[in-house]
Amino acid sequence: MRIGDLAAAGYVTAKTIRFYEQAGLLSAPPRTAAGYRDYAPEAVNRLAFIRDAQGAGLTLAEIRSVLELRDSGEAPCGHVARLISTHLDQIEQRMAELRKTRALLTDLGRRAAETDPESCPAGDICTILRQP
């Protein structure tokens, strides 16, 4: 299958396929006598996996590690489970940071609403942001 056909079947561009080859996510396919890339039908499934893994938040390096395990004949399920757990932990940490930031901004918004610009000392840049 030529690169354009693979791109259409995988819902990506030919440029994306070339990038995936350079990134080590897709093996370089054999070439036809005319020099065209000739992909095996299984490449469509690989593209679908890459797209799904990206949608789940995995990085290209993580996706490559999963594919390397599969390509070596090993089932990557345990590795994928660890990656998912790590990403969930990172999301929980980020959500906690966002909750703190939201509380701070809510307090600053209240302070901003209560601040009279006429009463601000000339030497201060902005009393709203000053920590009490």
Side-chain angles (χ1 to χ4, degrees):
M1 157 180 353
R2 288 193 180 167
I3 195 166
D5 297 329
L6 178 60
Y11 303 102
V12 298
T13 64
K15 184 177 180 178
T16 298
I17 292 171
R18 287 193 221 56
F19 174 78
Y20 287 165
E21 284 180 24
Q22 290 174 344
L25 301 173
L26 281 175
S27 298
R31 301 252 180 181
T32 65
Y36 294 108
R37 289 173 166 90
D38 188 22
Y39 293 92
E42 296 80 33
V44 175
N45 290 336
R46 196 166 181 108
L47 283 178
F49 170 78
I50 294 167
R51 188 179 59 248
D52 292 344
Q54 285 181 310
L58 271 63
T59 66
L60 293 181
E62 291 168 335
I63 295 168
R64 186 181 316 105
S65 70
V66 172
L67 291 169
E68 287 170 352
L69 285 172
R70 173 52 73 196
D71 291 345
S72 72
E74 188 177 335
C77 302
H79 181 60
V80 169
R82 286 186 296 279
L83 290 172
I84 290 169
S85 178
T86 298
H87 279 265
L88 281 171
D89 290 345
Q90 291 169 347
I91 288 171
E92 289 298 328
Q93 181 180 356
R94 182 67 178 133
M95 288 175 66
E97 292 168 1
L98 288 171
R99 282 190 291 276
K100 284 182 184 178
T101 302
R102 181 176 186 228
L104 174 63
L105 291 173
T106 299
D107 183 52
L108 290 173
R110 179 192 50 77
R111 288 171 59 185
E114 296 170 356
T115 299
D116 178 10
E118 298 298 322
S119 67
C120 291
D124 283 343
I125 295 172
C126 181
T127 58
I128 296 168
L129 295 175
R130 186 181 325 131
Q131 295 296 318

